[in-house]
Amino acid sequence: LDALRTGYPRKEWNGGYVRELRPSVLMLESGYIFDIDGRRCFSFGGAQSHDIEGGILDPVQFRRKSDYKGRRDSLAHSGKSYRIHGISWWPKEMPSEEDMERGLRELLQNGNRVDFIFSHDAPSYVYLALGFTPGKLNGYFEQIKNTVQYKGWFFGHLHENRSFEGKDFLLYEQIIRIN
């Protein structure tokens, strides 16, 4: 994740900033509205890990490699999900306040109207519908849901394929054509 933010060239593209991973593969930065094929698309990445009941292991904190391996094996055998610092979890997994403020400002400057919203995480009401507890970022998205007019919102953090209210789509393995 940190490599995406620092290891690839940042450039302006279609109304916002992107990281160029390859000439034909771009990572849209959070909080910008992009003009993509004549459609106004709001992009916002990041999410809080919800599958870390066993904690976050940091290999650097263990004195011996065998201690780290033992703790990891113990968590795996207990069935508790966990993440590994720098491999499957990063401190900057959540967007910054600056990203969130920029996102609201961009939306307001565009009359709180876009065609599509692409985010990793979902508004609070989706979490509640699925029996999860929403967090700060979900509240931010709920605010956007209640103030922005859009045709479709696409997110995937919860790893299911479902639609909500006919225009909000939780996608995991499904592909949807948008117009």
Side-chain angles (χ1 to χ4, degrees):
L1 186 62
D2 291 334
L4 287 174
R5 290 188 177 136
T6 60
Y8 292 93
R10 184 178 195 237
K11 68 180 198 177
E12 242 183 295
W13 182 81
N14 291 12
Y17 285 93
V18 299
R19 296 290 177 163
E20 185 174 19
L21 308 184
R22 302 273 184 279
S24 62
V25 179
L26 304 175
M27 181 190 80
L28 307 177
E29 289 197 358
S30 290
Y32 292 102
I33 296 173
F34 297 89
D35 183 333
I36 302 175
D37 199 26
R39 304 293 192 271
R40 309 229 3 106
C41 304
F42 179 69
S43 170
F44 209 93
Q48 186 170 344
S49 295
H50 57 273
D51 52 354
I52 54 172
E53 66 184 279
I56 298 165
L57 295 180
D58 188 348
V60 174
Q61 293 180 337
F62 290 87
R63 297 181 94 171
R64 297 188 315 249
K65 197 173 191 174
S66 61
D67 292 341
Y68 165 73
K69 187 179 179 325
R71 178 68 179 136
R72 190 188 66 207
D73 291 349
S74 172
L75 284 169
H77 285 39
S78 74
K80 291 184 178 177
S81 55
Y82 64 94
R83 296 291 184 107
I84 301 171
H85 187 280
I87 295 174
S88 59
W89 181 87
W90 293 264
K92 294 181 181 176
E93 68 180 8
M94 288 288 286
S96 68
E97 289 293 324
E98 179 184 326
D99 290 337
M100 295 168 84
E101 289 169 9
R102 180 181 50 252
L104 292 176
R105 191 172 54 251
E106 286 278 318
L107 288 164
L108 186 60
Q109 289 172 354
N110 284 273
N112 281 329
R113 289 175 178 234
V114 293
D115 293 301
F116 301 109
I117 299 174
F118 300 107
S119 62
H120 184 64
D121 213 347
S124 292
Y125 90 96
V126 171
Y127 269 64
L128 294 170
L130 295 174
F132 294 112
T133 302
K136 179 180 180 179
L137 183 57
N138 310 113
Y140 173 76
F141 287 144
E142 191 72 22
Q143 177 184 355
I144 289 173
K145 177 172 181 42
N146 293 328
T147 58
V148 174
Q149 293 179 12
Y150 61 93
K151 295 176 185 174
W153 188 329
F154 305 89
F155 42 87
H157 182 60
L158 300 168
H159 295 192
E160 286 189 38
N161 296 306
R162 290 184 59 175
S163 70
F164 297 86
E165 298 185 358
K167 66 179 188 173
D168 299 340
F169 300 92
L170 170 56
L171 301 175
Y172 181 51
E173 299 167 319
Q174 186 177 5
I175 297 172
I176 295 177
R177 179 180 298 276
I178 59 176
N179 296 323

